Amino acid sequence: MSLPSEILIKMYRAMLRIRRFEEQIWEVYTGGLMHGLAHLYIGEEAVAVGVCAALRDDDFITSTHRGHGHCVAKGGNLEAMMAEVMGRVTGHCRGKGGSMHIADMSVGILGANGIVGGGFGIATGAALSAQKRGTDQVAVCFFGDGASNQGIFFEVMNFAAIWKLPVIYVCENNHYGEYTPTENVTAGKSIADRSLPFGIPSTTVDGSDAIAVYEATAAAVERARKGDGATLIECDTYRYRGHHVGDPGEGYRSKEEIESWMAKDPIQLLRTKIMDDNIASGAELDAEEREVEKEMENALEAAKAAPYPDVEEVNQHVYA
Amino acid sequence: MSMREMTYGEAVKEAMAEEMRRDPTVFLMGEDVGKAGTVFKVLLGLHDEFGDDRVIDTPIAEAGLVGLGVGAALTGSRPIVDIMFGDFIALAMDQIVNQAAKLRYMSGGQAIVPITIRSTMGAGRSSAAQHSQSLHAWLAHIPGLKVAIPSTPADAKGLFKTAVRDDNPVVIYEDKMMYALKGMVPTEEDYTIPFGQAHIKREGDDVTLIATSSMVHVALDAADALAEQGISAEVLDPRTLVPLDRETLIESVVKTTRAVIIDEGYKSFGITGEIASTVYNGAFDYIDAPIVRLGAMDVPVPFSKPLEDATIPTPEDVIKAVQDMKIIHR
Ligand SMILES: Cc1ncc(C[n+]2csc(CCOP(=O)(O)OP(=O)(O)O)c2C)c(N)n1
Ligand SMILES: [Mg+2]
């Protein structure tokens, strides 16, 4: 199957936007322009982008502590995201949430999450709601290899299976949970296997290959919209940077390992594919990059210029 | 007593290492407690000494992790279970509240559950609503659990060692903003601090500041400033919430006739309410001013720095509360 060229270009651009955003966060952090920490998604872009390219605006996602990529891919606004990470009132959450809690309900981003496994129930519940309301919306739950050991993962798969819920569980297996290698704490050959006892089909894809991720997701979305129920997709991926911006990411990971993953960089892979298939030239793709660069600069400037929320706001939004 | 200066984090690690050397049934498990030495890095080196068998990295599965700890404690081990952020205790509440806390009672006194659950509390790191809460009141509410909440390196070490030796489930909360705090700490092996003994951190006559964990330092700062204004504040740290040293709290307020209670838990339904009622009842005839309770604002901890700062009690809040009492020296 060959994908329409506009999807490929759109995915290329989305991956660049994530990469640039995350690089910018790194500068913002090291430049002392933000408080707290952030978990960077660099290296994993093809997962968020491949999945979200197969979704509609009115579909839902739940995200993780490493959520910037998901939010960009699902239609979050770079300026509002940057402002949020910097605690400014123009942020998606008026500065109340920060990096780990970016949400934009208007485009189906039901929230990043500071609790590992925090999205399982919410995504599955969003799928239940779509079913009850009689829409054909689907919900995607992004989660890490580490999160796959939380008990609620198994609870929600059972719900999704008995009620044929339109939910897609997308595991981002980046081979570590914080500083611990996944295999040290995770039983079984693969996380994808975990849904099989529930009768939920699963597949494992190369998480550096946006096209492969897109295709797997598109098939799962079709299944879900038809009323055939849930799917689990395990994406093999890697974070180039540390667990968060304060972690150098070395010591517990070898240089060779990091370099071997960087050698199959998701953005480069798609760029090569686009150029090999004569969909766009290098010059055209470079132009995309310059545009993203400009968008990012504007977002940063706007965020920097934005004020912090008024202290009076602290009491607002506790209750509806 | 021989003493050594160390940080709060080092004191916790030393307590743990000493107890593990002393008692082979003690082991530690938690997420990234091994080579990584926890995300706060405070246990670096422990794994080098005790190895994989006794310093154990676990899956990210708090309910299971605590549940295994309870089962191990019930059958001859003395596990220390590390829950990285106090907020994550929410995931393990059934195991703590319905299992650990009740097994002894429900079994008619047959069982002991000597598990130590260590976790963190405290805002101030811009970690937002799910990594900043101080939820110790939840557990202090449950009969069968003990709760310790040390404010200094020496207390951290002494209370931790007592926790490990106690035959009951103990939850011990460390404020993650205090890990670098330095202080003199006793070094002998059997240095422990009995539970249920409040500690007078500073003596005074005009007002009692009852404070917990990092709020002790807020109270001490306030006491310094008040001294300059001619007001003598006593600073009292209960150190354990369960058991609570009600007598010492009451005695102090009988002496000073006034109290401000400062704790970083949400103010409503928090431990300041319990302490205030204890003091009202015990010192009623002596009290000269309404007791003031200061706690975290009743909102989820916001991310943005100016908002977050507004939610935590400060020395200025304490000073104002005392000034409003209009203390007149006769
Ligand atoms: C319930 C809970 N336990 C522990 C943590 C601390 N923590 C934050 S991220 C993380 C590792 C998560 O690993 P994984 O799910 O693989 O995601 P990754 O960081 O690799 O993207 C841990 C343990 C948490 N935030 N929530
Ligand atoms: Mg991971």
Side-chain angles (χ1 to χ4, degrees):
Chain A
M1 174 167 72
S2 92
L3 293 181
S5 35
E6 65 273 14
I7 291 187
L8 298 185
I9 298 287
K10 192 180 137 197
M11 291 202 298
Y12 182 72
R13 187 183 173 97
M15 287 202 284
L16 281 178
R17 291 175 81 222
I18 296 172
R19 177 76 49 103
R20 260 321 277 140
F21 185 83
E22 297 293 60
E23 286 168 352
Q24 191 60 252
I25 293 287
W26 173 253
E27 284 159 36
V28 163
Y29 173 77
T30 50
L33 288 173
M34 64 175 274
H35 295 107
L37 296 170
H39 305 80
L40 301 185
Y41 196 67
I42 296 177
E44 305 189 28
E45 293 91 344
V47 179
V49 163
V51 168
C52 291
L55 299 179
R56 295 193 313 238
D57 268 1
D58 68 339
D59 290 326
F60 302 109
I61 66 164
T62 59
S63 171
T64 68
H65 57 285
R66 197 176 304 290
H68 302 166
H70 310 140
C71 295
V72 172
K74 188 66 173 66
N77 170 295
L78 290 194
E79 183 183 321
M81 286 183 61
M82 183 55 76
E84 189 59 37
V85 175
M86 291 170 65
R88 308 306 169 99
V89 71
T90 50
H92 271 304
C93 313
R94 304 188 68 79
K96 284 195 159 116
S99 162
M100 269 195 295
H101 302 289
I102 296 177
D104 183 351
M105 303 291 163
S106 71
V107 290
I109 302 169
L110 302 182
N113 213 306
I115 297 297
V116 169
F120 283 126
I122 297 172
T124 311
L128 173 66
S129 159
Q131 191 187 62
K132 294 281 177 228
R133 290 180 290 108
T135 75
D136 68 347
Q137 291 163 292
V138 306
V140 167
C141 175
F142 290 103
F143 66 103
D145 47 279
S148 76
N149 291 319
Q150 287 284 20
I152 190 172
F153 178 36
F154 301 87
E155 297 185 27
V156 298
M157 284 195 290
N158 187 52
F159 278 109
I162 59 175
W163 293 340
K164 283 201 179 316
L165 298 178
V167 57
I168 303 166
Y169 301 107
V170 177
C171 180
E172 303 182 304
N173 185 348
N174 62 9
H175 304 279
Y176 292 84
E178 286 180 348
Y179 315 105
T180 299
T182 306
E183 66 266 20
N184 292 7
V185 288
T186 313
K189 281 203 319 300
S190 83
I191 292 164
D193 282 354
R194 294 187 167 193
S195 68
L196 301 181
F198 296 94
I200 294 175
S202 68
T203 172
T204 302
V205 298
D206 177 355
S208 303
D209 180 349
I211 297 173
V213 175
Y214 175 92
E215 285 171 349
T217 309
V221 167
E222 196 187 321
R223 230 180 93 73
R225 292 210 206 285
K226 276 204 321 235
D228 290 344
T231 305
L232 169 61
I233 303 171
E234 178 178 354
C235 301
D236 192 29
T237 184
Y238 200 76
R239 61 168 155 81
Y240 293 178
R241 302 293 180 90
H243 172 60
H244 55 61
V245 285
D247 163 35
E250 291 156 11
Y252 58 99
R253 311 190 304 175
S254 72
K255 264 219 156 61
E256 300 75 65
E257 180 182 294
I258 299 170
E259 277 162 13
S260 76
W261 280 93
M262 290 175 72
K264 51 178 227 139
D265 183 72
I267 299 180
Q268 280 310 318
L269 276 182
L270 188 60
R271 184 182 171 99
T272 307
K273 166 87 180 149
I274 288 172
M275 286 168 55
D276 285 356
D277 289 2
N278 290 318
I279 292 164
S281 67
E284 285 165 323
L285 295 179
D286 290 345
E288 285 284 337
E289 201 159 331
R290 282 193 298 276
E291 266 182 49
V292 168
E293 183 63 37
K294 196 173 312 135
E295 184 191 5
M296 195 57 249
E297 271 167 32
N298 293 341
L300 179 67
E301 286 317 310
K304 278 207 280 199
Y308 286 107
D310 250 11
V311 174
E312 278 72 67
E313 286 207 20
V314 72
N315 281 312
Q316 283 171 18
H317 311 125
V318 180
Y319 297 96
Chain B
M1 212 168 8
S2 75
M3 308 268 266
R4 192 156 60 78
E5 184 175 69
M6 63 182 87
T7 64
Y8 189 101
E10 285 162 349
V12 173
K13 180 171 72 180
E14 191 165 285
M16 217 177 279
E18 286 177 7
E19 290 310 294
M20 288 176 66
R21 280 177 213 132
R22 186 185 59 80
D23 181 347
T25 69
V26 177
F27 64 87
L28 165 70
M29 56 180 179
E31 295 155 18
D32 279 303
V33 297
K35 283 208 188 77
T38 79
V39 291
F40 304 105
K41 304 293 170 202
V42 290
L43 301 185
L44 277 176
L46 211 58
H47 180 267
D48 293 338
E49 178 174 351
F50 296 102
D52 287 342
D53 263 3
R54 295 183 71 196
V55 178
I56 310 166
D57 279 336
T58 68
I60 305 168
E62 286 77 10
L65 170 56
V66 175
L68 264 64
V70 174
L74 196 59
T75 52
S77 295
R78 302 187 84 86
I80 302 167
V81 171
D82 182 295
I83 302 289
M84 192 182 296
F85 284 79
D87 316 68
F88 310 162
I89 278 188
L91 285 83
M93 276 302 258
D94 171 60
Q95 299 303 314
I96 300 173
V97 172
N98 291 322
Q99 311 301 337
K102 296 178 172 48
L103 278 163
R104 179 164 182 78
Y105 191 82
M106 295 189 303
S107 69
Q110 297 176 70
I112 61 165
V113 187
I115 181 177
T116 301
I117 298 169
R118 75 176 281 256
S119 196
T120 56
M121 59 184 281
R125 296 168 91 238
S126 297
S127 301
Q130 296 172 339
H131 286 71
S132 305
Q133 299 170 93
S134 299
L135 298 172
H136 44 289
W138 280 7
L139 300 178
H141 187 61
I142 304 299
L145 299 177
K146 295 187 178 180
V147 181
I149 176 169
S151 67
T152 65
D155 287 355
K157 183 175 173 191
L159 292 172
F160 202 98
K161 286 167 68 86
T162 304
V164 174
R165 297 179 189 197
D166 198 293
D167 277 345
N168 296 284
V170 178
V171 187
I172 187 159
Y173 281 98
E174 299 156 17
D175 190 306
K176 46 200 175 288
M177 297 296 279
M178 293 197 301
Y179 281 131
L181 179 77
K182 286 191 176 154
M184 296 305 287
V185 178
T187 51
E188 56 270 10
E189 256 261 42
D190 276 319
Y191 163 67
T192 55
I193 296 174
F195 282 0
Q197 288 190 3
H199 191 232
I200 299 176
K201 299 291 179 196
R202 175 188 175 117
E203 290 198 47
D205 302 315
D206 295 328
V207 58
T208 303
L209 309 179
I210 301 170
T212 62
S213 188
S214 66
M215 294 297 113
V216 168
H217 304 284
V218 166
L220 287 168
D221 287 350
D224 281 343
L226 288 166
E228 283 171 24
Q229 301 167 25
I231 297 172
S232 160
E234 179 144 298
V235 177
L236 209 58
D237 174 2
R239 298 201 291 201
T240 53
L241 303 178
V242 183
L244 182 64
D245 182 359
R246 297 179 198 264
E247 269 124 74
T248 303
L249 304 180
I250 292 167
E251 262 167 41
S252 174
V253 179
V254 164
K255 177 178 77 173
T256 63
T257 76
R258 301 171 188 89
V260 179
I261 307 163
I262 313 120
D263 175 75
E264 209 187 321
Y266 298 125
K267 183 176 169 191
S268 293
F269 306 96
I271 64 141
T272 56
E274 179 68 25
I275 293 176
S277 88
T278 296
V279 171
Y280 269 121
N281 286 323
F284 184 72
D285 289 338
Y286 302 85
I287 292 174
D288 278 338
I291 293 174
V292 177
R293 299 163 51 208
L294 297 176
M297 200 181 277
D298 291 327
V299 303
V301 181
F303 166 73
S304 190
K305 187 77 184 145
L307 298 193
E308 182 186 28
D309 287 347
T311 66
I312 314 167
T314 61
E316 291 67 41
D317 296 334
V318 179
I319 294 164
K320 171 142 196 323
V322 173
Q323 285 171 340
D324 287 350
M325 291 175 172
K326 308 226 181 306
I327 299 173
I328 300 160
H329 290 108
R330 282 180 245 264

